[in-house]
Amino acid sequence: MSLTELSGGSTPEPATATETPARPARRTSPFGALLLRLHFYAGILVAPFLVVAALTGLAYTTTPQLDSILYSDQLTVAEVGDRPLPLADQVGAARNAHPEGSITTVQPGEGDRTTRVTFALPELGDKQHTVYVDPYTAQVQGQLTTWFGSTPATTWLDDLHRNLHLGVVGRHYSELAASWLWVLALGGVILWWRRRSASRATARHLLVPDLSAGKGVRRTRGWHATTGIWLTVGLLFLSATGLTWSRYAGANFGAGLDALSARAPEISTSLTTVPDEPAETGGGHHEASGAGGVVESAAFDRVVAAARTAGLDGPVEIAPAAEAGSAWTVTQVDNTWPVAKDRVAVDPAGGQVTARSDFADWPLLAQLSGLGIQAHMGLLFGPVNQILLAALALGLLCVIVWGYRMWWQRRPTRADRRALAGTPPPRGGVRGMPLWVLLIGVPVTVAIGWALPLFGITLLAFLVIDVVVGAVSRRRRPAVVPTSPAPAGS
């Protein structure tokens, strides 16, 4: 959200008997006037969207603990055994409990975590059924409807944060908030720096509120601005990472990754030979329907053993081939720092690794994008990540409240000029700009508006409305009729 001057208005505070007379106000530059007016209006109009994003994001930071409370019976085992049973037995137990659908992924349980066997069914759309199995006893502990592994509670809060449970239309709110957040954050920093420079305040007042300002708007502005300064890096991070998977800006970001060949590389699952039928195991393990059709349960053990031999440690996810005769993939799914996201393709019949893709070999932009998303979701640094995100959300809410409070504190209070809120900053910033600034600034703004469509559309709407309001105000303003000089000697 905004960082400074959300109140707008230019009416100075009344001086008290004990205050030193203020110096004459410095003439505001055209750039400063334009930035102040944009910051004011964007802060007032975008703040409600940011409030919703901050509140829903704050709720989402609690999902790991919420899952532990609501779904402990499914996610964890009561007693950790000495050794897990063969994965084939666990997958077979899950299949017996869930005869319908095809197996899309299997995450073997480690420690006190249950094994997760995920089934896809056409009627579920983009959701799945996940069956949770005790890896030490092969007892099924429950089943949940999940979304890419997320529990129902996490999925509900995720949808609330992304789209307010309004589907595609609701995604516009979060993209609008992310599109303007970085503009308000950087604009606030610039405005606060200019104010500090104009008053010759020390750099300390950039990071510490000036509590000597007494009461009123100056004290509120101090808290609003310095809190915003502390939040700036985090707010810029949330804005950037939020935009990467938004509807319109995210599509442009993806197109940029494609143009730069900077996406996470695909791993080849092709095999030179196509088996006509599942191999005989001799172990009595039954077959299970997978993504590529009927698969042998014992193949899960062969595939995961090959992946472990190839160096994939920690939690992994096994994905049967989408087509018969293709390799299976095994992916590390440790999202905490340092992340483990290496992948291998394994022939399920013979257990040979046929291809490999290591996270360290990904393009830099793909690595940063992946890490940024995990940090945005509060997973990268565990509980520390959650605390930082919660602090950002609470700080943003405080900055917004202080901004609206300044707007109210700057209202005229004289009996003949009372108003509910302060007046906006004056117009005229664009008209005072040098030509070279406009020649550079306009194309840059258009380019940003193209890359961030909701930002561009709303910025254009702000400008059109402001111009119309200004024209109407000038037409209503009474004309000043010059008076004739008095005759000499009168």
Side-chain angles (χ1 to χ4, degrees):
M1 158 60 187
S2 58
L3 301 180
T4 69
E5 305 295 4
L6 187 57
S7 63
S10 57
T11 305
E13 298 176 74
T16 63
T18 59
E19 290 180 336
T20 303
R23 295 178 305 170
R26 189 183 66 164
R27 182 178 178 82
T28 304
S29 68
F31 172 76
L34 177 63
L35 182 59
L36 180 59
R37 190 167 180 84
L38 175 65
H39 191 80
F40 170 77
Y41 275 117
I44 293 295
L45 299 176
V46 177
F49 297 94
L50 291 171
V51 168
V52 175
L55 289 174
T56 56
L58 180 62
Y60 187 82
T61 62
T62 66
T63 52
Q65 290 73 30
L66 192 62
D67 283 348
S68 298
I69 295 172
L70 297 178
Y71 310 112
S72 60
D73 292 342
Q74 289 85 7
L75 301 178
T76 59
V77 298
E79 184 177 350
V80 177
D82 295 331
R83 291 186 59 185
L85 294 174
L87 199 54
D89 294 343
Q90 303 175 50
V91 174
R95 169 54 74 190
N96 290 336
H98 195 289
E100 302 86 12
S102 59
I103 298 175
T104 57
T105 61
V106 174
Q107 291 189 28
E110 293 187 342
D112 66 344
R113 309 297 291 181
T114 54
T115 294
R116 307 179 185 187
V117 184
T118 303
F119 296 85
L121 292 91
E123 60 268 26
L124 294 179
D126 63 347
K127 291 185 171 60
Q128 307 86 30
H129 282 163
T130 298
V131 176
Y132 301 87
V133 182
D134 187 327
Y136 307 102
T137 65
Q139 295 295 315
V140 174
Q141 297 197 183
Q143 171 185 310
L144 296 173
T145 300
T146 57
W147 183 67
F148 295 100
S150 297
T151 65
T154 296
T155 301
W156 192 90
L157 288 173
D158 184 275
D159 283 341
L160 180 67
H161 181 60
R162 289 189 307 125
N163 57 40
L164 303 179
H165 293 281
L166 298 176
V168 174
V169 175
R171 294 182 65 184
H172 295 157
Y173 111 86
S174 56
E175 182 168 355
L176 181 65
S179 298
W180 277 95
L181 182 57
W182 68 274
V183 179
L184 292 166
L186 290 180
V189 171
I190 295 172
L191 289 171
W192 189 237
W193 177 265
R194 287 171 57 86
R195 175 175 287 276
R196 294 293 88 191
S197 300
S199 61
R200 296 185 177 88
T202 63
R204 172 177 173 272
H205 285 151
L206 284 172
L207 303 175
V208 179
D210 185 7
L211 300 181
S212 64
K215 300 180 180 180
V217 68
R218 291 178 58 191
R219 179 180 284 259
T220 305
R221 182 170 55 228
W223 282 106
H224 171 84
T226 54
T227 302
I229 292 292
W230 281 100
L231 299 178
T232 297
V233 173
L235 297 181
L236 293 177
F237 166 80
L238 291 179
S239 175
T241 53
L243 287 171
T244 56
W245 72 86
S246 60
R247 184 180 182 187
Y248 299 111
N252 290 336
F253 177 75
L257 291 180
D258 291 335
L260 297 173
S261 299
R263 285 192 181 272
E266 298 290 336
I267 187 169
S268 174
T269 58
S270 64
L271 296 174
T272 55
T273 60
V274 180
D276 295 330
E277 57 185 22
E280 295 295 333
T281 66
H285 297 305
H286 64 283
E287 296 172 349
S289 177
V294 176
V295 299
E296 174 202 1
S297 295
F300 287 95
D301 289 288
R302 283 197 298 272
V303 168
V304 75
R308 297 300 189 193
T309 302
L312 269 65
D313 55 3
V316 296
E317 182 178 85
I318 307 163
E323 298 177 356
S326 298
W328 294 15
T329 57
V330 183
T331 306
Q332 291 177 310
V333 290
D334 189 352
N335 292 315
T336 57
W337 183 262
V339 299
K341 291 184 174 294
D342 296 345
R343 295 174 292 168
V344 294
V346 181
D347 182 351
Q352 295 89 16
V353 174
T354 60
R356 184 181 186 106
S357 173
D358 290 340
F359 181 73
D361 299 329
W362 290 13
L364 179 60
L365 282 178
Q367 291 181 348
L368 293 177
S369 177
L371 294 176
I373 289 174
Q374 298 305 320
H376 190 110
M377 296 175 65
L379 302 175
L380 189 59
F381 302 110
V384 173
N385 203 157
Q386 294 175 257
I387 294 172
L388 289 175
L389 289 177
L392 276 174
L394 291 172
L396 179 57
L397 290 171
C398 290
V399 169
I400 293 171
V401 170
W402 284 323
Y404 277 118
R405 178 173 171 76
M406 283 192 295
W407 188 30
W408 180 77
Q409 287 176 322
R410 295 299 294 266
R411 72 195 187 285
T413 56
R414 281 175 39 183
D416 58 337
R417 295 182 56 202
R418 281 182 184 159
L420 295 176
T423 56
R427 295 181 177 85
V430 174
R431 292 194 298 271
M433 286 285 189
L435 179 60
W436 67 269
V437 173
L438 295 177
L439 292 177
I440 296 175
V442 171
V444 169
T445 304
V446 171
I448 295 174
W450 176 86
L452 310 178
L454 288 189
F455 167 76
I457 293 172
T458 50
L459 176 61
L460 180 61
F462 287 167
L463 294 176
V464 170
I465 293 173
D466 197 44
V467 169
V468 171
V469 170
V472 172
S473 298
R474 285 192 296 271
R475 289 177 63 89
R476 290 180 176 178
R477 190 177 303 152
V480 178
V481 180
T483 57
S484 302
S490 61

